[in-house]
Amino acid sequence: MLNGKIVVYLRAMEIVDEATYGALARTIAEIIADNNETVKKRGKKEEPEMTV
């Protein structure tokens, strides 16, 4: 939820002053996307079946 609020804020600031905030907004959005992808991959790992 926090990431969503940060992205919305940075997009607004990018519209207000692209020269100042544009690169920062794009960089942070990319970092968040990369981290989200890492978390998704972590959740998809299958646990080995245990046989008794």
Side-chain angles (χ1 to χ4, degrees), residues 1-39:
M1 177 158 23
L2 180 63
N3 287 346
K5 291 180 180 182
I6 290 172
V7 171
V8 170
Y9 173 77
L10 287 173
R11 284 185 181 154
M13 294 310 296
E14 183 178 18
I15 290 169
V16 171
D17 190 353
E18 201 281 329
T20 300
Y21 296 102
L24 175 65
R26 289 186 295 275
T27 300
I28 291 175
E30 186 176 330
I31 291 168
I32 290 170
D34 291 346
N35 286 335
N36 287 343
E37 189 63 32
T38 300
V39 170

Side-chain angles (χ1 to χ4, degrees), residues 44-50:
K44 290 183 180 180
K45 290 183 182 177
E46 293 184 21
E47 303 225 0
E49 290 185 31
M50 296 184 74

